[in-house]
Amino acid sequence: MSVAEPRRIALFRHAKADWPQVSDHERPLAERGRKDAAVAGRKLTDSGLTFDLALCSTATRTRETWKLAVHELAHRPKTVYEERIYEASPGELIALLNEVPDEVATVILIGHNPGVHGLAEILSGSADDEVRERMNRRGFPAAAFALLSFEGPWKSLEPGVATLTGYWAPSE
């Protein structure tokens, strides 16, 4: 892949989690979360993107979200379960994405708020006005995702270089 070709990123927040008496890291999905994760997978398919790499938090709710969503995709990307995504700040997530090999064109990152929402806002220097307005109005609820693109190598990903090209949240 040439670094001149656009890179694409999907930032995907885990679906609705339950609150049983377990550590935060081990919280499973709630019933609604299981349904929304599958719907989000179908909406990701509708976006037309084929992911080369999935970076998924090691938390139970993100792993369950990804397992249900990826089942809906036409192509199953290589998945890396990355503990650094759990409780990561937008800056830490950018540093992680800067490590992606340049032969990878399209990445999906499955993580948590506030990091994922903050990252979508920080990266998107430009956007379709309607898409940005929907994301600003809805925020980043459980199972939401934002689609971004930028040009250059992954190590050049920094605040403001991407374009927000799509956004979806449950009940849209």
Side-chain angles (χ1 to χ4, degrees):
M1 142 131 228
S2 162
V3 293
E5 294 179 50
R7 310 287 173 174
R8 308 234 188 272
I9 307 167
L11 300 174
F12 184 18
R13 182 180 175 198
H14 66 79
K16 179 77 175 154
D18 205 351
W19 288 93
Q21 294 296 319
V22 297
S23 72
D24 183 68
H25 191 272
E26 301 308 316
R27 288 176 45 216
L29 290 181
E31 182 61 34
R32 188 182 104 207
R34 287 190 285 281
K35 291 175 186 172
D36 287 348
V39 172
R42 290 190 289 280
K43 294 296 183 180
L44 284 162
T45 297
D46 292 348
S47 76
L49 293 178
T50 300
F51 302 104
D52 301 317
L53 176 65
L55 298 172
C56 184
S57 167
T58 56
T60 300
R61 60 192 176 272
T62 50
R63 289 183 289 118
E64 289 180 353
T65 297
W66 181 235
K67 180 180 178 182
L68 292 164
V70 75
H71 191 70
E72 301 295 328
L73 302 179
H75 167 75
R76 183 180 295 258
K78 174 184 178 184
T79 299
V80 175
Y81 293 97
E82 177 55 66
E83 61 189 35
R84 293 180 290 171
I85 296 172
Y86 181 69
E87 295 187 337
S89 69
E92 292 166 325
L93 294 172
I94 289 172
L96 179 65
L97 288 165
N98 288 156
E99 297 173 10
V100 171
D102 282 333
E103 57 271 8
V104 172
T106 306
V107 170
I108 184 168
L109 185 145
I110 307 94
H112 311 266
N113 265 0
V116 171
H117 185 195
L119 183 59
E121 290 179 333
I122 288 168
L123 290 179
S124 57
S126 62
D128 174 285
D129 288 340
E130 184 268 335
V131 174
R132 187 182 303 277
E133 191 277 325
R134 278 190 6 251
M135 188 171 85
N136 288 342
R137 181 176 21 108
R138 296 271 302 143
F140 226 88
F145 63 81
L147 305 175
L148 301 103
S149 68
F150 77 101
E151 293 185 10
W154 288 101
K155 66 182 175 225
S156 72
L157 182 65
E158 61 184 37
V161 303
T163 300
L164 178 66
T165 60
Y167 169 82
W168 178 85
S171 74
E172 279 231 324

